[in-house]
Amino acid sequence: SFVVNVHHFADQIVQYLQNQWSETEVAISDETDALLETGGAIKKAQPLLGNESFLIHNVDILSDCDIRWLESQVRPDAVATLLVSARKSSRYFLFHPDTMRLIGWKNVNTGDQILVDPQVDPEKCAALAFSGIHILSDKVFALMDEYARESGLENDNGIRFPIKDFYLWAASRAPIYGVKAENLRLLDVGKLDAIAPAEEFV
């Protein structure tokens, strides 16, 4: 089954799903009142996601990732498993070189850096780019509740927060791992000039 969150052109997306995916179980998480970013969107969709692990896939990303392979890499203690790769980016998650546990983040353009453990040498970390594809345990929701309370995020429109901020907060409290995909093909289709490359990719 699938959960699709909608905001821009929500009616068109819902109509498409009804017409083209009528034989597939698809639930709609409606964000037409307010965009909640990835973290808030996941939290809002909690009632639709059940009590099992689930895959999050950014809608504007195409890739050749083998999802079954990614699923096989999930460790029993993982709250989240992030698909990452060694590709050029301005922003990287930092992982412990031995365990691939998330321990930080950096922006190479601005020099901004966040370390979960200040004693860790960031130069020895594995700096890898996030794909927007991740598998989460349902245990993540209790952490999101705690994060929202500590951060004062609760309001009438839901809880809005980027997943990056949540992961960096949660990394000191629960295991979040990266899984490195070799030779991953990834295409951001969030812009008009990406339509032709996307058609070729598919």
Side-chain angles (χ1 to χ4, degrees), residues 4-55:
V4 178
N5 69 306
V6 296
H7 177 79
H8 198 48
F9 295 125
D11 292 343
Q12 293 182 34
I13 294 171
V14 171
Q15 188 65 52
Y16 172 82
L17 292 170
Q18 290 174 344
N19 292 341
Q20 302 296 324
W21 287 46
S22 59
E23 297 182 4
T24 304
E25 184 180 344
V26 179
I28 301 297
S29 183
D30 189 346
E31 289 184 39
T32 51
D33 290 339
L35 278 171
L36 302 176
E37 302 198 44
T38 302
I42 293 169
K43 177 59 184 161
K44 179 179 173 65
Q46 180 179 357
L48 305 173
L49 291 169
N51 299 316
E52 299 180 80
S53 296
F54 53 92
L55 170 76

Side-chain angles (χ1 to χ4, degrees), residues 123-199:
E123 297 303 317
K124 295 181 180 179
C125 296
L128 298 163
F130 181 41
S131 65
I133 303 169
H134 32 154
I135 294 178
L136 283 70
S137 162
D138 62 340
K139 293 179 290 187
V140 77
F141 294 118
L143 283 168
M144 285 184 168
D145 287 338
E146 184 181 348
Y147 176 69
R149 287 192 299 270
E150 286 193 12
S151 305
L153 295 174
E154 298 180 51
N155 57 62
D156 293 339
N157 291 323
I159 301 171
R160 181 177 186 270
F161 59 95
I163 197 67
K164 179 209 81 176
D165 294 355
F166 168 73
Y167 280 155
L168 292 170
W169 173 89
S172 63
R173 296 164 170 80
I176 298 174
Y177 297 107
V179 171
K180 183 180 177 182
E182 301 293 345
N183 304 313
L184 178 70
R185 291 184 64 207
L186 201 69
L187 180 64
D188 184 342
V189 296
K191 299 176 182 178
L192 286 176
D193 59 5
I195 293 176
E199 290 177 343

Side-chain angles (χ1 to χ4, degrees), residues 74-96:
V74 175
R75 306 184 198 187
D77 63 334
V79 166
T81 302
L82 286 53
L83 180 69
V84 293
S85 62
R87 69 180 189 280
K88 187 174 181 180
S89 177
S90 60
R91 294 164 295 181
Y92 295 95
F93 277 126
L94 303 177
F95 298 91
H96 190 286

